């Protein structure tokens, strides 16, 4: 194992504990290096033997700090990421030293995984960001704090460093309950929800297939809270009895479960147009449409879901930032056809 202290002086940080210093070493360093590393990253560095106190290597994060202690942190160079960078075009909405905001197209997988080890958003971000990635957990990779399904388009944010990653992760974990985080989606659904505005509060869990989800009873072992707010903003083919052939719905998430909007809308009887997993039983609805509209709907081969707005607090400046992703061409074509009903 290489000695982290046999590195160039430029890769070290040397600190002296001031008068009154106390508490755990990892907590003290987290405060002293708050602009550089998260506490979890510092704890890992201590356990790796990269921190010395008064010339003695310390491997216990809970070691106490005393006034006058000379603390040296050896900073290993971030490792190359396991996924490799790939020159995949990206639609960047905003970028700075801490984060990158982009509009993900439908068809692009976010993370490498079984069946998709290359050609993902992570591969694209590694190539695009290059040396501006200071590393997440010691690896030069983008910190993806939320996901969109492969066939869902829309705005996403990724962190470039540990501090930004932690700050953004905390916001997404809070789901905007105490902060400015907001996520809004546009969905095109079959029929029209009975209520034009409502809240779907239905726990979700696995549906046998590891990739699919279903509404579960609260007492189910894998049931996880899931809350979606929705509002009907446009109706297509509306009839005198207040029903409609389809509708455009705006959804806002109070939680962020896998396939949440897709499952919740299907649960209330209004699955997304084009959804192969939760709306397949409604494919015959297209037979009720005029031939031109039917052809357009049948040619739409993904769930009609677009994450059009994302708002969050910038991890360094504290500024509330709001981004909107334009509606992609395929969904514009679908909406234009439905508006002729």
């Amino acid at each position: 194992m290489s000695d982290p202290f046999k590195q160039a002086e430029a890769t070290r940080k040397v600190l002296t504990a001031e008068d009154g210093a106390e508490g755990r070493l990892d907590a003290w360093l987290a405060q002293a290096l708050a602009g550089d590393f998260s506490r979890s990253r510092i704890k890992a560095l201590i356990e790796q033997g990269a921190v010395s106190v008064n010339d003695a290597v310390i491997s216990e994060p809970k070691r106490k700090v005393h006034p006058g202690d000379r603390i040296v942190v050896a900073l290993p160079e971030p490792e190359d990421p396991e996924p490799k960078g790939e020159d995949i075009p990206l639609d960047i909405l905003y970028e700075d030293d801490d984060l990158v905001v982009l509009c993900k197209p439908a068809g692009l997988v976010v993370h490498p995984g079984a069946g998709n080890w290359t050609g993902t958003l992570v591969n694209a971000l590694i190539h695009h960001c290059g040396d501006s990635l200071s590393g997440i957990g010691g690896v030069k990779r983008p910190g993806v704090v939320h996901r969109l399904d492969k066939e869902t388009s829309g705005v996403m944010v990724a962190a470039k460093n540990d501090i930004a990653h932690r700050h953004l992760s905390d916001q997404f974990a809070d789901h905007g309950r105490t902060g400015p985080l907001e996520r809004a989606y546009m969905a095109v659904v079959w029929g029209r929800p009975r209520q034009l505005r409502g809240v779907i509060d239905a726990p979700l869990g696995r549906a046998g297939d590891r990739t699919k989800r279903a509404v579960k009873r609260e007492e189910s072992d894998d049931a996880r809270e899931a809350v979606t707010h929705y509002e009907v903003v446009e109706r297509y083919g509306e009839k005198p009895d207040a029903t409609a052939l389809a509708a455009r719905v705006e959804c806002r998430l109070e939680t962020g479960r896998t396939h949440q909007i897709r499952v919740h809308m299907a649960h209330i009887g209004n699955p997304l147009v084009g959804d192969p997993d939760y709306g397949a039983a409604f494919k015959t609805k297209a037979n009720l449409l005029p031939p031109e509209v039917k052809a357009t709907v049948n040619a739409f081969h993904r769930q009609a879901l677009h994450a059009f707005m994302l708002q969050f607090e910038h991890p360094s400046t504290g500024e509330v930032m709001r981004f909107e992703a334009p509606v992609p061409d395929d969904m514009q074509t679908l909406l234009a056809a439905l508006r002729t009903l």
Side-chain angles (χ1 to χ4, degrees):
M1 179 177 177
S2 62
D3 183 351
F5 288 92
K6 292 180 180 178
Q7 301 182 65
E9 192 67 32
T11 65
R12 301 184 185 187
K13 282 189 178 292
V14 181
L15 308 97
T16 302
E18 68 282 356
D19 292 341
E22 60 181 1
R24 291 171 53 123
L25 177 60
D26 58 349
W28 186 89
L29 279 173
Q31 185 173 9
L33 302 175
D36 299 311
F37 299 100
S38 64
R39 183 166 174 176
S40 60
R41 176 65 177 136
I42 288 169
K43 181 179 178 181
L45 286 171
I46 295 171
E47 291 173 342
Q48 293 164 12
V51 176
S52 73
V53 179
N54 302 327
D55 298 325
V57 174
I58 304 298
S59 58
E60 283 292 330
K62 63 183 179 181
R63 191 268 195 197
K64 299 297 183 183
V65 173
H66 305 287
D69 279 346
R70 181 178 183 272
I71 301 167
V72 179
V73 183
L75 307 177
E77 288 295 321
E79 299 172 4
D80 287 333
E82 195 168 310
K84 302 302 180 183
E86 296 178 46
D87 188 5
I88 299 169
L90 290 173
D91 183 2
I92 303 296
L93 303 178
Y94 174 83
E95 185 173 6
D96 61 23
D97 291 340
D98 294 307
L99 53 85
V100 54
V101 181
L102 60 104
C103 181
K104 186 190 88 69
L108 183 64
V109 174
V110 173
H111 273 289
N116 294 286
W117 293 111
T118 60
T120 72
L121 177 61
V122 167
N123 297 110
L125 285 170
I126 290 171
H127 178 274
H128 171 79
C129 296
D131 291 338
S132 68
L133 289 174
S134 66
I136 308 296
V139 179
K140 288 188 289 188
R141 65 183 180 192
V144 178
V145 295
H146 65 128
R147 301 189 187 192
L148 294 177
D149 294 338
K150 175 182 177 181
E151 298 299 344
T152 298
S153 55
V155 62
M156 291 188 65
V157 61
K160 290 185 173 184
N161 55 61
D162 265 324
I163 299 301
H165 185 246
R166 180 183 63 181
H167 196 291
L168 290 170
S169 294
D170 288 346
Q171 291 185 64
F172 277 88
D174 182 63
H175 301 297
R177 294 186 178 96
T178 62
L181 181 78
E182 283 188 44
R183 289 174 288 173
Y185 295 72
M186 183 187 80
V188 183
V189 303
W190 286 116
R192 194 211 81 180
R194 282 195 286 270
Q195 294 181 328
L196 296 182
R197 180 186 292 115
V199 179
I200 306 169
D201 186 348
L204 299 182
R206 293 189 182 275
D209 184 323
R210 69 178 184 85
T211 64
K212 294 180 69 174
R213 298 295 183 270
V215 170
K216 294 293 190 74
R217 295 179 180 274
E218 288 187 10
E219 59 269 22
S220 297
D221 290 340
D222 66 335
R224 302 184 70 188
E225 180 189 20
V227 181
T228 302
H229 299 254
Y230 74 87
E231 180 178 2
V232 176
V233 294
E234 197 170 9
R235 289 163 274 183
Y236 312 112
E238 192 164 24
K239 300 176 181 179
D241 62 358
T243 61
L245 291 175
R248 179 164 63 93
V249 179
E250 182 176 307
C251 298
R252 292 178 182 257
L253 298 180
E254 192 174 313
T255 56
R257 307 303 178 200
T258 300
H259 299 179
Q260 179 172 317
I261 292 173
R262 298 167 62 189
V263 178
H264 271 176
M265 295 311 298
H267 178 63
I268 64 171
N270 304 104
L272 273 59
V273 171
D275 193 327
D277 296 317
Y278 308 105
F282 279 67
K283 287 187 70 173
T284 55
K285 282 274 190 179
N287 294 329
L288 301 174
L289 304 173
E292 299 83 359
V293 181
K294 177 182 176 181
T296 299
V297 171
N298 286 338
F300 193 83
H301 297 303
R302 68 175 179 102
Q303 63 266 10
L305 186 61
H306 176 64
F308 74 87
M309 189 276 288
L310 175 64
Q311 176 178 287
F312 58 87
E313 180 183 283
H314 192 281
S316 294
T317 68
E319 177 186 357
V320 175
M321 309 186 78
R322 182 186 180 96
F323 299 93
E324 295 195 10
V327 179
D329 291 344
D330 62 345
M331 286 192 73
Q332 290 194 44
T333 300
L334 175 67
L335 291 171
L338 292 171
R339 286 172 182 144
T340 66
L341 295 175

